[in-house]
Amino acid sequence: MRKLLAVSLKVKILTLIILLIVFIVISLSSMFILMKRKDDIAKAEQLSLQTVKTLSYMPVLHDYFRSGQKTLNLGMLIEQIQREPEPITVFFQNRNGATFASTDGLQVYKDIKAKDNDKALTFGSSYVLKTTEDRKEVLKAVAPIVVSYGKYKKIEGAVVVLYDVDTLYASIWEDIKKIFTASIIILLIGVIASYLLTKSIRKDTLNLEPSEIAALFRERGAILQSVKEGILAVDEEGSITMMNSSAHDLLDIDDHSEGKQVSDVIQSSEMLELLGSNEKQTNVEIQYQEKMMIINTQPIIEDGKKIGTVASFRDRTEFKHMIEALSEVKEYSDDLRAQSHEFTNKLYAILGLLQLDKKEKAIEFIKSETHIQTVEEDLLFTKINDERLQAILLGKIAQASEKKIDFVIDKESSLAYLPEEINLSSLIIILGNLINNAFDAVKHTKEKKVSFFVTDIGNEIIFEVQDSGTGIQKEMEHQLFQKGLSSKGKNRGYGLFNVEIEVGSLGGAIEYSSGSGEGTVFTVYLPKAS
C-alpha cells in the first residue's frame, strides 16, 4: 500500500484531477441524461395528448359518424398527418374498437388493444399511458370522439395516437453522444491543465517532492536548534517567525514567542533598531540586559522590498573564553619554545668549549648559569608562592633570555597566594600582554631592561611592569586602550584593550606613567576580595 502511495507529486495531482473530472463528467452527464429523458418523454406525452385532442375535434370525423361512410376529406386528413415529421401513428376507432382509418400504411401495428379505450368511451376522458403494442414500447394517447346530433351528443369512438418510444430513445442517445464528445474534450483539457499545473508546482518547489521538502524542513529545524549561535527571524510586520533554543536562552525569552511582535518580546531599542534596518549589519556589539552581545543581521529582499530579517547573535563572553584559551596556549607554546631555544644555545656553547679543551671555562660558564638560575628560583620560590604566577614568570624569564633582554624580578616582591577568582587565564591576559609590550618597547634600545614587581601588602594585589624603552608617544596616549589602535601596525592593538577589559571584570584598575626617553611603568591594582 505504501509503495502505491509513494508516487511523485505529478502523478498524484494528475490522478486526482482526472478522477475528479471523470466523476464530475459522469455525474453531470447522468443527471443531464435523466433530465433529458424525463423532459423528452413529458414533451412526447404532451404532444401525443394535444394531437389526439385536436384530431378528436376534426369536423371530418364527426361527418363520418353522421353519414356512416368515409369521405374524401378523411383520406386527406390521414395524408396530412403522415407528412408530419413527428414519430406518431394515428388510429381512428369506433365504439367497438374497430379501426376505420389509420396512418399505419405499413401495418406496423396490426392489433391495437381496444380495452385501453374504456375510460375515453365511458367517461369521455383524454389521457396518455405507457404500454406495449405489438411488442413495441409506445406512449399511447386516447381521446374520445364526441359527435353532436343537435339535441344531444354521443361518444361514437376514439382517436388513438401511438408515439414510438424507441425513436424517442434514439433521439436521446444522439444527445448523449454529443455529451460524451464534450466530456472527452473537457477531460483532455483537464489533463493538459493538470500537467501544466504540476509542472509549475514542481518548478516552484525546485523539482522537490513533498516528502523531500518535509525532510529538508525537519533537517532545517534540527540544524537551527543544534547550533549554539542564537538565530531569530522576523517578517515584514515585525512578527517572530522562528527562534531557536539558543536564542531563547541568550535572550531569556520563553519558548512560545513565535507569532508575537518582536517589540513585545525584546525590550532593547538597539536590537530592535538593528532588526528594523534595511542594511546588513556585521559584528555589532550591543549591551543586552547584563550581557555584551555580538549581532549580525541580514535583511530578506524580494523584488526590491524587504520582507523580513534574519539575525544571529552570540554572547561576547564565549569569544572571550576562546581568546583566553588561545592566548593561554600561545603563551605556553612561546615559553616552551624560548626555553628550548635558550637551553639548546647554551648546550652548544658548552659543547664548543669542551671540544676546544677549555674545560675550566666550560665549568665556569656552567657555574655562572647555575648561579643565575639559582638566584631566579630563589626569588620565585621563596618570595612568590602562587604557582600560577611562578609558571608565567619562569616562561617570561626564558623568553627574555632568548631575546637578550634583562628581565629582572624586583627583590622587594612578595606574594602569598592569589584569590581563586583571579584564574590563570586572567593572569596570562594581564601580565602576559604587559610584559610582552615591555619586551617590544626595549627590543630596539641600547639598555634592554624590563623589571617586574608584585606585592600583596594591604587590601590590594599590585603588579608593576617597567621598561627602559622610549616611552609612549603623546598622540597615542588618548587612544592607548582603544580596540584595534596601535603604533605597531595592522591587526594589532588588542593587548591593552583586553587587559583593561580583564582588569575591569576583576574589579581592579590600571594606570601608567611614561616620559620621553624614560620608559613606561604600568601598574595594575586588583582587590583581594570582590
Side-chain angles (χ1 to χ4, degrees):
M1 185 64 180
R2 290 184 177 180
K3 292 182 178 179
L4 293 176
L5 295 176
V7 295
S8 66
L9 179 64
K10 181 185 291 186
V11 173
K12 287 181 181 179
I13 293 178
L14 280 173
T15 303
L16 178 62
I17 293 181
I18 290 172
L19 291 176
L20 183 62
I21 292 175
V22 169
F23 174 75
I24 292 174
V25 167
I26 292 176
S27 299
L28 292 179
S29 299
S30 300
M31 291 176 62
F32 178 81
I33 292 169
L34 292 174
M35 292 174 64
K36 175 70 175 174
R37 180 176 179 277
K38 184 177 181 180
D39 185 60
D40 286 356
I41 291 176
K43 287 180 179 179
E45 290 177 348
Q46 185 178 9
L47 175 64
S48 301
L49 188 60
Q50 289 177 347
T51 301
V52 292
K53 285 184 177 180
T54 301
L55 292 175
S56 67
Y57 291 114
M58 297 297 290
V60 64
L61 289 177
H62 293 210
D63 292 342
Y64 167 78
F65 283 106
R66 289 192 190 100
S67 62
Q69 59 183 353
K70 294 183 179 180
T71 62
L72 180 61
N73 292 334
L74 183 59
M76 293 176 61
L77 175 62
I78 296 298
E79 291 178 3
Q80 184 178 357
I81 295 172
Q82 288 175 337
R83 288 197 295 267
E84 293 294 328
E86 297 297 336
I88 59 175
T89 304
V90 180
F91 295 88
F92 299 102
Q93 297 179 334
N94 56 27
R95 288 187 63 86
N96 298 325
T99 300
F100 60 87
S102 170
T103 60
D104 187 16
L106 299 177
Q107 294 293 313
V108 175
Y109 301 99
K110 298 178 180 179
D111 184 17
I112 302 302
K113 300 174 183 177
K115 64 178 182 179
D116 293 333
N117 302 349
D118 292 343
K119 289 172 62 178
L121 296 174
T122 305
F123 303 104
S125 301
S126 300
Y127 49 90
V128 179
L129 52 88
K130 192 174 183 181
T131 185
T132 301
E133 295 289 349
D134 284 338
R135 299 180 181 179
K136 290 185 178 183
E137 189 176 6
V138 295
L139 291 177
K140 186 174 185 180
V142 182
I145 302 173
V146 181
V147 181
S148 176
Y149 291 99
K151 294 182 179 180
Y152 64 95
K153 294 180 180 180
K154 183 179 178 182
I155 298 175
E156 295 289 358
V159 179
V160 178
V161 172
L162 302 181
Y163 196 109
D164 190 352
V165 176
D166 291 339
T167 305
L168 178 64
Y169 288 161
S171 175
I172 295 174
W173 179 247
E174 291 299 323
D175 292 337
I176 292 173
K177 287 181 180 179
K178 295 177 182 178
I179 293 172
F180 283 157
T181 302
S183 300
I184 292 172
I185 294 173
I186 293 172
L187 181 61
L188 291 176
I189 293 173
V191 171
I192 295 171
S194 302
Y195 175 79
L196 296 176
L197 175 62
T198 55
K199 189 175 181 181
S200 175
I201 293 174
R202 292 276 294 183
K203 182 179 178 182
D204 293 339
T205 58
L206 303 178
N207 288 326
L208 295 175
E209 294 295 332
S211 58
E212 296 173 325
I213 296 173
L216 287 175
F217 183 80
R218 288 191 294 268
E219 290 175 6
R220 165 188 172 273
I223 292 171
L224 290 175
Q225 296 301 327
S226 65
V227 296
K228 198 170 184 181
E229 191 169 13
I231 299 176
L232 169 67
V234 297
D235 60 18
E236 57 186 331
E237 303 296 332
S239 296
I240 298 174
T241 57
M242 192 281 300
M243 179 181 288
N244 67 352
S245 57
S246 297
H248 286 102
D249 295 337
L250 289 171
L251 300 178
D252 296 327
I253 298 172
D254 59 48
D255 295 336
H256 305 288
S257 56
E258 283 77 2
K260 296 181 181 178
Q261 285 291 314
V262 68
S263 57
D264 296 336
V265 176
I266 298 175
Q267 306 302 322
S268 172
S269 58
E270 291 180 276
M271 187 175 292
L272 292 175
E273 184 178 352
L274 290 174
L275 292 173
S277 174
N278 292 329
E279 301 295 331
K280 179 180 178 180
Q281 306 292 331
T282 305
N283 295 332
V284 179
E285 293 187 18
I286 68 168
Q287 185 72 30
Y288 182 80
Q289 295 178 357
E290 298 179 356
K291 301 175 183 177
M292 181 62 71
M293 308 289 288
I294 297 178
I295 299 180
N296 296 279
T297 64
Q298 176 65 57
I300 304 172
I301 307 298
E302 184 176 312
D303 298 330
K305 181 183 177 183
K306 178 184 172 184
I307 61 172
T309 301
V310 176
S312 63
F313 39 89
R314 296 190 71 173
D315 189 348
R316 185 181 177 278
T317 308
E318 296 182 7
F319 290 102
K320 177 184 173 184
H321 289 161
M322 287 190 290
I323 292 171
E324 290 174 355
L326 291 173
S327 176
E328 184 176 339
V329 172
K330 185 176 182 300
E331 288 289 335
Y332 282 127
S333 176
D334 290 343
D335 293 343
L336 289 172
R337 182 180 60 82
Q339 289 179 356
S340 175
H341 192 209
E342 181 67 16
F343 285 123
T344 300
N345 290 336
K346 291 177 181 179
L347 287 173
Y348 281 137
I350 294 170
L351 177 63
L353 291 172
L354 293 174
Q355 287 176 339
L356 293 172
D357 200 21
K358 303 290 185 180
K359 296 181 180 179
E360 293 80 6
K361 288 190 176 183
I363 293 170
E364 183 181 347
F365 178 73
I366 292 172
K367 287 181 178 180
S368 174
E369 290 299 319
T370 304
H371 173 70
I372 293 172
Q373 186 71 22
T374 303
V375 172
E376 292 172 349
E377 289 180 356
D378 180 63
L379 283 171
L380 282 174
F381 297 116
T382 59
K383 293 190 176 184
I384 299 174
N385 297 321
D386 189 88
E387 294 179 352
R388 293 168 289 178
L389 185 55
Q390 290 172 352
I392 293 172
L393 292 178
L394 280 173
K396 293 304 176 186
I397 290 171
Q399 188 178 354
S401 177
E402 181 188 13
K403 295 182 177 181
K404 304 304 179 185
I405 296 172
D406 185 12
F407 182 55
V408 179
I409 300 174
D410 196 305
K411 294 180 180 180
E412 301 299 324
S413 297
S414 64
L415 177 66
Y417 294 98
L418 290 171
E420 290 297 329
E421 57 265 22
I422 304 177
N423 54 42
L424 181 58
S425 295
S426 299
L427 285 176
I428 291 175
I429 292 174
I430 297 171
L431 299 181
N433 280 296
L434 290 178
I435 296 174
N436 285 343
N437 285 347
F439 287 169
D440 289 338
V442 301
K443 66 181 179 181
H444 297 301
T445 61
K446 186 176 181 180
E447 184 185 5
K448 299 180 179 180
K449 184 176 181 180
V450 175
S451 62
F452 174 80
F453 171 77
V454 61
T455 181
D456 58 354
I457 298 174
N459 296 324
E460 294 178 319
I461 299 170
I462 302 173
F463 297 102
E464 187 176 277
V465 179
Q466 182 176 2
D467 65 67
S468 60
T470 57
I472 299 172
Q473 301 174 10
K474 291 290 184 182
E475 60 271 17
M476 292 294 294
E477 289 185 359
H478 70 283
Q479 56 186 14
L480 192 61
F481 295 102
Q482 289 188 25
K483 180 180 179 181
L485 295 175
S486 175
S487 61
K488 301 174 185 176
K490 294 183 178 180
N491 300 320
R492 303 295 297 270
Y494 293 93
L496 290 178
F497 172 77
N498 290 332
V499 169
E500 185 181 41
I501 294 294
E502 194 65 33
V503 169
S505 68
L506 295 173
I510 182 172
E511 62 181 30
Y512 71 94
S513 62
S514 180
S516 179
E518 297 179 359
T520 305
V521 179
F522 280 93
T523 306
V524 175
Y525 304 90
L526 298 178
K528 290 183 178 179
S530 57

